[in-house]
Amino acid sequence: MAGIRGVRWLPGGRVLGIVGVVLALLAGAGWLAKPVWQPWWYAATLCGGHLSGRELAELLPAERLQGAKDTFGTGSGPLRCGVDESDGRHFVLDVRAEMDTGEPLGPLDMEFTVPRDLRFAYPRSVPGFYGKFGPVILQECPKLGPDSEGRARRLVTKVYTHGVESDPSPESLRTAVRIANGANVETGCGADALPLPERVEPVRGVSLAGARGTMCGWLAGTRLPDSPSGERWQVVAPTDEHASITHCSLIDSGSGLPAVNLTGWYGDWTDKPFERLVSSNLQVPEGRSARDALLGQDFGRAAARCAGESANFLATSYTRNHTGSALPMSDVRGLLGAFARDQAARRGCTDLRLPGPTVHPDWDQE
């Protein structure tokens, strides 16, 4: 029998024994823990081929993988795919893309159940944020037109990376952008293709004068309260003015911490999360409801109607240890009002409702 080139055949089946020892050593070194072909195989065969093997390998360097349920290519219903750990104990990477219908419990519902500040770590070319569980991208769908209720149709892409990373990474962002672009085509959404970003963006504060050319330029023309440290204010303006979620922050340059975060959320999907936000955190007085614009101990809510849909505006202000607001709530209320009026003017909104001066107590206060 011809020998295999490079292998010397030894008596008594010793070659098999040596191979077994080598394989055992390789396994002990981790070489067999995860076949090197797995990320590229799953990138090519799952999620409509929209994943990148290199990015999948960097996101999941050690896990031995198996494919999860994949509905990409079906052309109907929510698109879902991903990879699990082969032991089946928990997901590793879960990808979903679906249309937001504006109904309660929609794809963005769980992102906004508590008054928290979103993490805008993405370039302005990416209409999204880093959510509770990973990247979230929202795209308007011009080719699909409004639904029967007159609401704009939006494609929501989410990549659940909670078990993989604790901070935004270029790999998870690029994965989300690839999936969003693929789902955009498959659903006929008609949104502009998103460019693949090279990196996540660090928080960059600019001076008040430097903010004039941004959607937060209104801060430069507003009388501002003193910062908690007494030092100059800086502005963070990470979003485009036409995004489905907009954001402005005031940073105290003395501490480097945000004193106020202001966000605008557009679409009927925001109503139920905001009602839950108010009812779960404030003692809503008799005669008022969780649908009203109200002021709490460290956040305030305003509302309007924009392009036939709801818009909700949130201001949050926390101390370093979340023991109270960084600024007096009267100042936070004034900033929320200025932000909401500016947003309403930019988008042609009507029925603007601002909170009154009463600061309502939290639920945990007697």
Side-chain angles (χ1 to χ4, degrees):
M1 181 174 64
I4 299 175
R5 189 174 185 180
V7 174
R8 180 181 176 188
W9 294 92
L10 301 176
R14 287 177 60 192
V15 166
L16 293 178
I18 292 172
V19 169
V21 170
V22 171
L23 290 177
L25 291 173
L26 290 175
W31 288 91
L32 294 185
K34 176 183 178 181
V36 295
W37 51 264
Q38 279 200 333
W40 285 267
W41 169 262
Y42 286 119
T45 58
L46 289 176
C47 307
H50 302 305
L51 297 176
S52 158
R54 182 185 65 80
E55 289 155 13
L56 195 57
E58 291 180 357
L59 276 172
L60 308 169
E63 291 85 350
R64 190 180 179 97
L65 310 176
Q66 67 178 9
K69 182 179 180 181
D70 190 349
T71 62
F72 272 78
T74 61
S76 61
L79 303 177
R80 182 174 180 178
C81 62
V83 291
D84 296 331
E85 275 197 335
S86 59
D87 61 15
R89 290 183 297 181
H90 63 279
F91 74 82
V92 171
L93 194 69
D94 188 37
V95 174
R96 303 185 191 191
E98 58 188 301
M99 303 305 298
D100 167 34
T101 63
E103 296 297 324
L105 303 179
L108 288 166
D109 183 71
M110 292 304 295
E111 290 290 342
F112 307 104
T113 55
V114 295
R116 68 186 188 89
D117 296 321
L118 305 181
R119 302 171 71 182
F120 291 96
Y122 299 155
R124 291 186 185 178
S125 61
V126 179
F129 57 94
Y130 195 79
K132 283 183 179 179
F133 307 107
V136 179
I137 294 176
L138 298 89
Q139 295 167 285
E140 300 275 345
C141 295
K143 284 190 177 180
L144 297 181
D147 65 13
S148 59
E149 301 295 326
R151 296 179 294 226
R153 298 183 194 269
R154 298 177 182 87
L155 176 65
V156 180
T157 300
K158 300 180 291 185
V159 179
Y160 286 72
T161 58
H162 186 64
V164 175
E165 61 181 6
S166 57
D167 291 300
S169 72
E171 290 76 28
S172 65
L173 170 58
R174 288 169 67 87
T175 296
V177 168
R178 291 181 191 277
I179 292 295
N181 283 338
N184 175 30
V185 173
E186 183 164 337
T187 61
C189 171
D192 292 335
L194 301 175
L196 282 175
E198 293 298 326
R199 63 175 189 171
V200 296
E201 295 293 319
V203 175
R204 287 193 176 94
V206 299
S207 66
L208 288 169
R212 289 186 182 277
T214 72
M215 62 152 282
C216 305
W218 60 273
L219 285 163
T222 301
R223 184 176 180 179
L224 300 177
D226 291 337
S227 71
S229 72
E231 298 295 327
R232 290 178 299 174
W233 286 116
Q234 289 187 313
V235 177
V236 174
T239 57
D240 183 87
E241 65 177 322
H242 302 296
S244 294
I245 300 176
T246 56
H247 180 80
C248 295
S249 284
L250 272 177
I251 305 293
D252 181 352
S253 62
S255 65
L257 298 175
V260 179
N261 285 297
L262 301 151
T263 49
W265 302 346
Y266 295 89
D268 285 346
W269 65 269
T270 64
D271 281 337
K272 290 298 181 183
F274 262 91
E275 289 177 25
R276 197 160 51 245
L277 170 74
V278 171
S279 62
S280 299
N281 293 277
L282 299 186
Q283 295 183 32
V284 180
E286 187 176 351
R288 305 296 299 273
S289 81
R291 294 186 294 274
D292 292 336
L294 297 170
L295 203 65
Q297 297 289 314
D298 50 21
F299 78 94
R301 181 247 190 129
R305 296 288 296 176
C306 303
E309 292 193 73
S310 298
N312 283 279
F313 308 101
L314 177 68
T316 59
S317 178
Y318 307 112
T319 58
R320 183 188 296 269
N321 298 319
H322 283 227
T323 56
S325 59
L327 289 180
M329 291 310 294
S330 58
D331 292 338
V332 175
R333 173 177 174 254
L335 291 169
L336 173 59
F339 173 70
R341 285 190 289 269
D342 178 81
Q343 291 281 283
R346 290 174 185 269
R347 295 185 178 237
C349 303
T350 60
D351 191 25
L352 180 62
R353 289 166 285 146
L354 302 176
T358 301
V359 178
H360 299 283
D362 294 342
W363 267 117
D364 58 0
Q365 291 182 327
E366 296 297 334

